[in-house]
Amino acid sequence: MASSAPTRIPTSQLFSLEGKTVIATGGTGGLGSEMCLAMAESGADIVSIYPPNDPAQPKLEELIRGVGRKIVSFECDVSNSQNLRNTFKQIWDAGIVPDILLNCAGLNRRGAIEEMTDEKIDLIFAVNLKAVYVAAQEFGMQLIKLGRPGKIINIASLTSFVAMTNVSAYASTKGGVLQMTKAFSNEWAVHGIQVNCICPGYIKTPLSETLVKQYPEMERHVIDRTPSGRWGAPMDLRGATLFLACPASDYVTGTSIVVDGGMMAR
């Protein structure tokens, strides 16, 4: 049970992650790698659950070790729930004690509703929604078993609120992540587990660069619609990530932080 009388820590330590261990899915992606690096720079060690044969995994390991932190990696296709559960068992069997979960694995398959095949729908839902649920479930159950507090950070999207077009399956999953975050927080706050999500807007990553090449008009559209007048960069997510991972957010749960340069407000 969570204590009703929190212990005051010095303000200088509010954003420190010294001695903490982060388990991350999607840590090799354009957003995930920056978020993992930010937490490592703040003192955390990283456990990376990465896709099979992911060429970006060595780069993530180099980044984390480059700031003097440890990284342990486990290969897993998160779209397969049983594989994901087995991977968490391997993590626990390795003696890793969890503190923070970054649920960042995600993908998209753009297309009009009538073009979405079962294969596309199943993959998007398996990675973006069910894998997020299973990872949070396995992580939280271990914390409860150990009697430890912890943090779960899910990655939702601007499309959790504004569905837009040609992203019907993706938007459905990201709306689900938003509600899942609230549901988990309702049940697990009593255990000292905070469950929140970050909702990025349009962020420049290798994947979005590819999309802009396919739809050149998007570059100007995003800039014109965003009050900040630019696309976001992965490093723009660092502040929200650290806040939700560190002691500064110990009384924040079941909520979302939108990082979109003001787009949703326009």
Side-chain angles (χ1 to χ4, degrees):
M1 299 287 286
S3 171
S4 60
T7 300
R8 189 184 191 280
I9 66 172
T11 303
S12 60
Q13 296 178 18
L14 272 181
F15 292 89
S16 171
L17 295 178
E18 284 292 334
K20 302 296 185 181
T21 297
V22 177
I23 298 176
T25 69
T28 59
L31 304 184
S33 59
E34 184 66 43
M35 297 164 86
C36 285
L37 178 59
M39 288 188 283
E41 288 175 327
S42 294
D45 293 325
I46 307 296
V47 177
S48 173
I49 299 175
Y50 69 97
N53 304 311
D54 186 350
Q57 179 60 28
K59 178 61 175 176
L60 177 63
E61 294 179 359
E62 180 183 346
L63 285 173
I64 302 307
R65 291 176 181 138
V67 296
R69 305 312 307 177
K70 298 176 183 176
I71 180 168
V72 181
S73 303
F74 294 82
E75 185 178 85
C76 176
D77 175 5
V78 301
S79 70
N80 184 312
S81 297
Q82 191 56 57
N83 285 352
L84 184 54
R85 293 191 190 279
N86 290 341
T87 297
F88 272 95
K89 184 178 185 304
Q90 292 172 22
I91 292 171
W92 310 145
D93 288 347
I96 292 169
V97 179
D99 295 293
I100 300 152
L101 174 67
L102 176 63
N103 237 338
C104 197
L107 51 78
N108 191 12
R109 298 291 185 268
R110 295 179 64 87
I113 295 169
E114 58 270 25
E115 297 172 359
M116 298 302 292
T117 63
D118 284 338
E119 182 181 13
K120 291 178 180 178
I121 296 168
D122 289 347
L123 178 62
I124 293 169
F125 274 69
V127 174
N128 291 8
L129 192 58
K130 189 173 183 182
V132 174
Y133 188 105
V134 170
Q137 182 187 38
E138 292 290 332
F139 176 87
M141 288 193 301
Q142 183 70 359
L143 287 179
I144 293 169
K145 176 182 176 181
L146 297 175
R148 294 174 61 84
K151 311 274 187 174
I152 297 175
I153 305 171
N154 296 324
I155 305 302
S157 168
L158 183 65
T159 62
S160 300
F161 307 95
V162 184
M164 303 182 186
T165 58
N166 294 321
V167 291
S168 56
Y170 179 84
S172 298
T173 62
K174 292 303 185 179
V177 169
L178 188 68
Q179 291 302 320
M180 183 194 307
T181 297
K182 296 176 183 180
F184 272 62
S185 73
N186 285 340
E187 295 190 34
W188 283 355
V190 70
H191 298 291
I193 302 171
Q194 290 85 54
V195 189
N196 295 290
C197 67
I198 298 173
C199 301
Y202 284 97
I203 309 292
K204 272 289 177 72
T205 66
L207 287 179
S208 63
E209 293 278 13
T210 301
L211 187 62
V212 168
K213 288 179 181 177
Q214 187 177 359
Y215 304 99
E217 67 276 8
M218 277 194 66
E219 179 74 24
R220 192 72 250 167
H221 169 75
V222 170
I223 293 173
D224 289 345
R225 185 173 169 180
T226 305
S228 294
R230 66 171 177 87
W231 285 66
M235 65 180 180
D236 289 318
L237 299 174
R238 291 182 300 173
T241 303
L242 291 179
F243 172 66
L244 294 179
C246 72
S249 62
D250 281 353
Y251 200 57
V252 177
T253 194
T255 194
S256 58
I257 298 178
V258 178
V259 184
D260 71 344
M263 179 180 281
M264 198 170 75
R266 175 165 281 181

